[in-house]
Amino acid sequence: GFCTLLFPMVATSYVKVGRLVRIIRGPREDRIGVITDIIDANRVLVQNPTDEKMWKHVQNLKNISPIKFSVSIPKNASTKVISAALAEKKPLEKFAKTKLAGALSAKAALANSTDFERYQLRVAKRSRAHWARKIFAAKDEKTPVSYVASKLKKLTKPHEKFAAKNLKTRQERIKKHFTARKAAKKTTKK
């Protein structure tokens, strides 16, 4: 009751029949499948009828990463039943909208890019960073936002308050000192 409201459970994507999983390593790396059956404590049957490389096969639990989406299917369901469940609930389209799917597609795009495309990406990132720093520095100069600028403003505010007063008294002391020195030199010359 009370504790679950304050501290939500950490893992909710448990391994179960119908859970969508991502393959971590191997020839089917970063492909999405559906758990159709749990063989034992270490292995599961995985399949995805919409992906031609994800036919029904055995995967080790160390090689899969469960995703929060799932479909309700019976144990060891046929391809037809899995296809119908995927078409009804559309978990693959929901997954395609997640950050993880975006990161995986970006990783694939980078892996398939040419040397020149990677160069263009590097130049674009450098340019974006340069302009971001320049714009932020200009805004930070007007109204301090960054930690350093705000601390500097806090430290210089009291200093500015007394700086003018201290500067005047210091200048007066220096003038007195030099006039006294001049007077002492004149008296020693005579």
Side-chain angles (χ1 to χ4, degrees), residues 48-98:
N48 185 353
T50 59
D51 191 345
E52 70 277 352
K53 294 214 175 170
M54 288 292 287
W55 54 82
K56 194 177 279 190
H57 65 283
V58 177
Q59 277 289 344
N60 195 311
L61 286 176
K62 292 178 182 173
N63 197 33
I64 62 168
S65 174
I67 299 168
K68 65 180 179 180
F69 304 107
S70 64
V71 289
S72 56
I73 54 169
K75 260 187 168 189
N76 212 358
S78 66
T79 307
K80 194 176 182 182
V81 172
I82 296 167
S83 298
L86 288 173
E88 183 190 327
K89 231 179 172 186
K90 297 182 176 33
L92 295 171
E93 282 122 50
K94 289 176 187 172
F95 172 73
K97 293 175 186 173
T98 62

Side-chain angles (χ1 to χ4, degrees), residues 110 113 116-127:
L110 188 65
S113 64
F116 183 64
E117 288 171 337
R118 286 192 296 275
Y119 166 75
Q120 284 179 316
L121 180 66
R122 194 168 62 244
V123 168
K125 279 182 176 178
R126 198 181 301 151
S127 175

Side-chain angles (χ1 to χ4, degrees), residues 15-17 35-41 43-45 61 75:
V15 173
K16 67 173 189 174
V17 173
I35 296 177
T36 56
D37 198 4
I38 298 170
I39 299 167
D40 57 32
R43 299 174 300 156
V44 290
L45 264 178
L61 286 176
K75 260 187 168 189

Side-chain angles (χ1 to χ4, degrees), residues 128-178:
R128 184 180 67 186
H130 166 75
W131 286 109
R133 275 196 308 272
K134 204 166 187 177
I135 291 166
F136 181 76
K139 285 187 178 179
D140 200 30
E141 207 172 290
K142 289 178 186 172
T143 54
V145 178
S146 67
Y147 176 78
V148 174
S150 58
K151 276 287 179 190
L152 186 66
K153 187 180 178 183
K154 272 186 178 178
L155 290 170
T156 55
K157 198 173 183 180
H159 176 71
E160 286 171 0
K161 191 176 179 182
F162 299 106
K165 192 190 290 183
N166 291 344
L167 189 64
K168 279 184 182 178
T169 55
R170 186 167 180 249
Q171 285 172 344
E172 286 171 11
R173 272 188 286 134
I174 291 169
K175 278 183 185 177
K176 280 182 185 177
H177 171 73
F178 280 110

